[in-house]
Amino acid sequence: MLTKAEAGTDIASLMAEIGAKARAASGPLAVASAERKHAALVAMAEALIRRKDEILAANAIDLANAEEAGLTPAMLDRLTLDDARVRAMAGGVWAIAELKNPVGEVIAEWDRPNGLQIERVRTPIGVIGVIYESRPNVTADAGALCLKSGNAVILRGGSDSAQSTAVIHAALIEGLKAAGLPEDAIQIVPVTDRAAVGEMLKGLEGNIDVIIPRGGKSLVARVQSEARVPVFAHLEGLCHLYIDGSADLAMARRIAVNAKMRRTGICGAAETLLVDRAVASTHLVPILEDLCDAGCEIRGSDEVRALFAGAKPVSEEDWSTEYLDAIISVALVEGVGGAIGHINRYSSHHTEAIVAEDEKAVERFFNEIDSAILLHNASTQFADGGEFGMGAEIGIATGKMHARGPVGVEQLTSFKYRVRGNGQTRP
Amino acid sequence: MLTKAEAGTDIASLMAEIGAKARAASGPLAVASAERKHAALVAMAEALIRRKDEILAANAIDLANAEEAGLTPAMLDRLTLDDARVRAMAGGVWAIAELKNPVGEVIAEWDRPNGLQIERVRTPIGVIGVIYESRPNVTADAGALCLKSGNAVILRGGSDSAQSTAVIHAALIEGLKAAGLPEDAIQIVPVTDRAAVGEMLKGLEGNIDVIIPRGGKSLVARVQSEARVPVFAHLEGLCHLYIDGSADLAMARRIAVNAKMRRTGICGAAETLLVDRAVASTHLVPILEDLCDAGCEIRGSDEVRALFAGAKPVSEEDWSTEYLDAIISVALVEGVGGAIGHINRYSSHHTEAIVAEDEKAVERFFNEIDSAILLHNASTQFADGGEFGMGAEIGIATGKMHARGPVGVEQLTSFKYRVRGNGQTRP
């Protein structure tokens, strides 16, 4: 990893060269066999395990630098690797190795009256750019997912995790070499200069097809506003949990505590609880007591505070706030219609859940809310590619173009049409 | 249709209002029943037929203005409507009415070991912006396709077709009203000021989700370079036809003439002919003679000219030129590998065809070329949503994100996940 001064080079030309190398690698990658990609991924996982001590030593340097730089405890936690986390990283790569090869999969086929046989088959997208912050495991996850989907990838990690990332990257390169795949399939941007990100957002002269930002709101917002290429991203997960009048109370209590408190810092954590006014007298207080007992701060509307003295007042701003913390905003609503109105007004279109026994309420909730993931009688914390059975995810998209919800190997593909005839000309 | 002066208004606020109205209409549209959308489309087709004379009278005014403004014969032809073209326009709307409703279709479903049932279902995208030039029929096609897919649409037609477009639009509004759907579902930008296009490209404050340009290369290039929202477009169709050494000569001759000469001005017309050097002595001359007989100008490499005296010399620039005319560039190549190399270098990633009996050559052609549509033993002129059985298309996308190839009602949708549980919390 070079700093700008060490590199002594022009960032734009350096990045252009990285882009050109990635594009060149994307050709052989697109036609690489399932077996070859599988072999590379297995070799990567093995190399990660073999280099575990080296990774942890590099991570210790990153952590020492980060403490000196005064990173917050939450940032330090994201940066920290230990034995179990390195094993989990390798396990993730193994799991991706075992996924079905998406490239070449026939996703639709039909015949035309004139005898033309049409197939729509999955193809790689080409070159993916991933811009992330301090989590070193993103290096392995993103590298493996892009390889499985036949894409070259340009990784731009945070400077905080530079040492850890370099060793993890070396392990991935070992895997590529072992399987005879081009090393440029997975490149790391070797400078910490922020101008490198600017070059990626401009698309490296057409050599980046899509950019995936992984990190905090300010990173994602910058990428979304400046990128001249498509972006798969979610700015935030302002997830709602609605308890319908028909809800089973015991289930509602379990789900509310899990949706809010299992992990408060993830995008699938619930931030707002909506309770049907019809069951305010029976359901509201037990649910809020459970949340309080679990250590959650309650911010409620006047109606809520009249029923539950432990609630602080909620402000208009709270309804649009992703706390990522042990805080929840609470309102009473007029049935499922009221919940839909509130959610469509404030939601970030990520994930919303309803607890209800009334199928009609569920259908309305499912039909009339335009969010990537809607859940019935289940916790919002299931909003995750692994939990969806996609093996792994590179992120969750809240945009509606191309990918939506968890972005796994299928979402990292495009498609093309193969049409077979026997001499047809168009009349 | 108002000019800027007549409107006497600020274009930015006018366009912002149009965007807000479209977004408001997209809500009821997204949940409109299949029956209601069908009824609206049938009523639109009927209104187009009923208003035929009115449409033709308006078109006559457009044509008179266009002649005065000195439009080329090709542009005048695109602008011209007659009895048959109005009937075809109505027929297109009827055909779209009869397509399956894409909204709500379950496109994938699976269960998880913990009992969660996951469905991926189609949803509308939201608001589509269509920017087009002189073809008045785009108004009806785009309006009908967007309605069928549950999207609101903002149409910005060329000033040349303003009178025709206004009457066609009135017929579409009649259909919306008849079915009780919001009139703002299909809006026309009522000013000819080019600043209106600039506002659309900025996304109307988040109220346009995708822009589709329909028209010449300069329009598409402007949209692609300036748009701050996703674009479905093709800049050009530089389509190749490759005759393999294993090709049936009679079939190759028929397909070559059709691919080039059936209609030379469409994006699926072949622009370059590649012939396997192995059959240069047997296949090249008969194919070029057929093309000459059909009125095509041949531009060949030195090798080609040595075998076929009627060919003019080809320049490097020719390989990258979309003629949209009765001209074809011709080269000999070293088998399918040579063809793939040439195509991957010069293609616009739209459509390529191979004529061959050797299945191995076909497989390589299908696997190693990264274009939206690949055809075997069939004419490149089949590159069309109607020919693909999609009922109608709003264009052909050569980008790889979201839509690729013909853009029909399915490509105008996104999706969301519906997850059903029975009380699951995440461990």
Side-chain angles (χ1 to χ4, degrees):
Chain A
M1 186 74 49
L2 308 171
T3 66
K4 188 179 181 178
E6 285 164 338
T9 183
D10 163 21
I11 300 287
S13 5
L14 171 73
M15 293 306 295
E17 193 186 321
I18 289 175
K21 283 184 186 173
R23 183 63 73 197
S26 73
L29 270 182
V31 295
S33 67
E35 294 69 29
R36 193 180 287 269
K37 292 189 290 187
H38 182 270
L41 290 163
V42 169
M44 286 175 187
E46 287 169 357
L48 286 168
I49 294 294
R50 200 169 51 243
R51 286 169 176 259
K52 181 162 60 68
D53 292 343
E54 198 186 336
I55 293 170
L56 294 178
N59 189 243
I61 300 173
D62 282 335
L63 282 170
N65 293 337
E67 273 172 46
E68 206 168 299
L71 262 65
T72 64
M75 288 161 88
L76 288 174
D77 177 61
R78 281 198 285 272
L79 178 57
T80 303
L81 292 176
D82 58 19
D83 209 87
R85 284 185 176 183
V86 175
R87 281 183 195 286
M89 196 191 301
V93 175
W94 255 305
I96 292 166
E98 297 307 320
L99 293 176
K100 194 176 61 173
N101 176 33
V103 177
E105 189 195 348
V106 176
I107 45 183
E109 53 186 323
W110 63 94
D111 295 343
R112 296 292 300 149
N114 61 7
L116 288 179
Q117 300 175 316
I118 302 182
E119 287 178 340
R120 191 189 286 149
V121 299
R122 281 195 203 285
T123 62
I125 289 174
V127 180
I128 315 287
V130 182
I131 300 173
Y132 54 109
E133 293 179 333
S134 47
R135 287 183 199 272
N137 65 302
V138 175
T139 310
D141 289 356
L145 285 166
C146 289
L147 176 63
K148 186 78 188 189
S149 50
N151 295 294
V153 63
I154 299 171
L155 299 163
R156 206 284 185 183
S159 52
D160 299 329
S161 56
Q163 304 293 328
S164 322
T165 296
V167 183
I168 294 166
H169 181 241
L172 304 183
I173 295 295
E174 262 190 70
L176 290 170
K177 276 187 185 165
L181 286 167
E183 289 181 42
D184 292 336
I186 304 176
Q187 294 180 82
I188 292 215
V189 175
V191 290
T192 53
D193 197 300
R194 279 173 65 93
V197 172
E199 293 299 323
M200 287 178 75
L201 297 180
K202 281 188 263 172
L204 303 184
E205 299 169 9
N207 284 327
I208 289 187
D209 296 299
V210 62
I211 288 194
I212 302 176
R214 285 288 305 268
K217 202 167 161 175
S218 68
L219 169 69
V220 178
R222 179 188 173 194
V223 169
Q224 286 187 326
S225 99
E226 291 180 24
R228 301 298 294 153
V229 287
V231 174
F232 293 162
H234 70 269
L235 199 55
E236 56 184 1
L238 209 157
C239 306
H240 295 77
L241 174 65
Y242 166 60
I243 311 298
D244 188 59
S246 68
D248 176 277
L249 176 58
M251 186 191 290
R253 292 170 69 168
R254 280 202 318 273
I255 289 178
V257 171
N258 188 265
K260 177 69 247 183
M261 297 301 291
R262 172 184 163 271
R263 282 181 65 191
T264 57
I266 67 172
C267 59
E271 306 291 9
T272 297
L273 172 71
L274 303 171
V275 177
D276 191 342
R277 199 168 277 123
V279 290
S281 60
T282 52
H283 287 37
L284 181 71
V285 172
I287 292 170
L288 296 187
E289 279 174 349
D290 285 354
L291 283 166
C292 273
D293 290 350
C296 186
E297 176 184 324
I298 314 290
R299 297 189 186 172
S301 61
D302 291 347
E303 278 181 304
V304 170
R305 296 178 70 213
L307 291 164
F308 186 76
K312 297 185 178 173
V314 71
S315 70
E316 175 61 25
E317 206 189 331
D318 278 296
W319 306 123
S320 327
T321 301
E322 185 189 25
Y323 302 115
L324 294 174
D325 204 348
I327 307 170
I328 197 162
S329 54
V330 187
L332 297 181
V333 291
E334 202 59 34
V336 70
I340 291 166
H342 181 102
I343 292 169
N344 282 342
R345 180 161 173 201
Y346 295 108
S347 164
S348 63
H349 308 294
H350 188 296
T351 296
E352 331 293 345
I354 177 174
V355 181
E357 295 303 308
D358 173 9
E359 261 304 317
K360 279 197 180 150
V362 178
E363 284 310 308
R364 278 198 67 189
F365 193 87
F366 276 9
N367 286 335
E368 298 180 26
I369 295 177
D370 188 22
S371 295
I373 302 173
L374 299 165
L375 297 128
H376 169 219
N377 287 353
S379 169
T380 56
Q381 301 235 354
F382 284 110
D384 172 87
E387 292 297 323
F388 269 53
M390 295 177 178
E393 67 175 27
I394 202 166
I396 294 208
T398 51
K400 290 190 198 175
M401 308 309 293
H402 193 92
R404 196 178 197 202
V407 181
V409 290
E410 284 186 8
Q411 288 72 31
L412 292 174
T413 63
S414 180
F415 58 85
K416 63 184 174 187
Y417 291 95
R418 296 174 168 181
V419 184
R420 294 170 197 275
N422 46 22
Q424 283 86 344
T425 54
R426 188 168 168 190
Chain B
M1 186 72 53
L2 306 171
T3 66
K4 188 179 180 178
E6 283 164 338
T9 184
D10 163 20
I11 300 288
S13 7
L14 172 72
M15 294 305 296
E17 193 186 322
I18 289 176
K21 283 184 185 172
R23 183 63 73 196
S26 72
L29 270 181
V31 296
S33 69
E35 295 67 30
R36 194 180 287 268
K37 292 189 288 186
H38 183 270
L41 290 162
V42 169
M44 286 175 185
E46 287 169 357
L48 286 168
I49 294 294
R50 199 169 52 244
R51 287 169 175 258
K52 180 162 60 66
D53 293 342
E54 198 186 335
I55 293 170
L56 294 177
N59 190 243
I61 300 173
D62 282 334
L63 282 169
N65 293 338
E67 274 171 44
E68 205 168 299
L71 264 65
T72 65
M75 287 161 89
L76 288 173
D77 177 61
R78 280 198 285 273
L79 178 56
T80 303
L81 291 176
D82 58 19
D83 209 87
R85 285 185 176 183
V86 175
R87 282 184 194 284
M89 196 191 301
V93 175
W94 255 304
I96 293 166
E98 297 308 320
L99 293 175
K100 192 176 62 172
N101 176 33
V103 178
E105 190 195 346
V106 176
I107 45 185
E109 52 187 324
W110 63 94
D111 295 343
R112 297 291 300 152
N114 61 6
L116 288 180
Q117 300 175 317
I118 302 182
E119 287 179 339
R120 190 190 287 150
V121 299
R122 280 195 203 287
T123 63
I125 290 175
V127 181
I128 315 286
V130 182
I131 300 173
Y132 54 109
E133 293 179 333
S134 47
R135 287 181 199 273
N137 64 300
V138 174
T139 311
D141 289 356
L145 285 167
C146 289
L147 176 62
K148 187 77 188 191
S149 49
N151 295 293
V153 64
I154 299 170
L155 298 163
R156 205 286 185 180
S159 51
D160 299 329
S161 56
Q163 303 294 327
S164 321
T165 297
V167 184
I168 294 166
H169 181 241
L172 303 183
I173 295 295
E174 262 191 69
L176 290 170
K177 276 187 184 165
L181 287 167
E183 289 181 43
D184 292 335
I186 304 177
Q187 293 181 83
I188 292 212
V189 175
V191 290
T192 54
D193 197 300
R194 280 173 65 94
V197 172
E199 294 298 323
M200 286 178 75
L201 298 180
K202 282 188 262 173
L204 303 184
E205 299 170 7
N207 284 327
I208 289 187
D209 295 299
V210 62
I211 287 194
I212 302 176
R214 284 288 305 267
K217 200 167 161 176
S218 67
L219 169 69
V220 178
R222 178 188 173 195
V223 169
Q224 287 188 325
S225 98
E226 290 180 25
R228 302 296 295 151
V229 287
V231 174
F232 294 162
H234 69 270
L235 199 54
E236 56 185 0
L238 209 157
C239 306
H240 295 77
L241 174 65
Y242 165 61
I243 311 298
D244 188 58
S246 67
D248 176 276
L249 177 58
M251 186 192 290
R253 293 169 70 167
R254 279 202 318 274
I255 288 178
V257 171
N258 186 266
K260 177 71 245 183
M261 297 300 291
R262 172 184 163 272
R263 283 181 66 189
T264 57
I266 66 172
C267 57
E271 306 291 9
T272 297
L273 172 70
L274 303 171
V275 177
D276 192 343
R277 199 167 276 124
V279 291
S281 60
T282 51
H283 287 37
L284 182 70
V285 172
I287 292 170
L288 296 187
E289 279 174 349
D290 286 355
L291 284 166
C292 272
D293 290 351
C296 186
E297 176 185 323
I298 313 289
R299 297 188 187 172
S301 61
D302 292 346
E303 279 181 305
V304 169
R305 296 178 70 214
L307 291 164
F308 187 76
K312 297 185 178 174
V314 72
S315 69
E316 174 63 24
E317 206 189 331
D318 278 295
W319 306 122
S320 328
T321 301
E322 185 189 27
Y323 301 115
L324 295 174
D325 203 348
I327 306 171
I328 197 163
S329 53
V330 186
L332 297 181
V333 290
E334 203 58 34
V336 69
I340 291 166
H342 182 102
I343 292 169
N344 281 343
R345 179 160 174 203
Y346 294 108
S347 163
S348 64
H349 307 295
H350 188 295
T351 296
E352 332 293 344
I354 177 173
V355 181
E357 295 303 309
D358 174 9
E359 262 302 319
K360 279 196 180 151
V362 178
E363 284 310 309
R364 278 198 67 191
F365 193 88
F366 275 8
N367 285 335
E368 298 180 26
I369 296 178
D370 188 22
S371 295
I373 302 173
L374 299 165
L375 297 129
H376 170 219
N377 288 352
S379 169
T380 56
Q381 300 235 355
F382 284 110
D384 173 88
E387 293 297 324
F388 269 53
M390 295 177 179
E393 66 176 28
I394 202 166
I396 293 209
T398 51
K400 291 189 196 175
M401 306 312 293
H402 194 91
R404 196 177 196 203
V407 181
V409 290
E410 284 187 8
Q411 288 72 31
L412 293 174
T413 62
S414 180
F415 58 85
K416 63 183 173 187
Y417 292 95
R418 296 174 169 183
V419 184
R420 292 171 198 275
N422 47 23
Q424 283 85 346
T425 54
R426 188 168 168 190

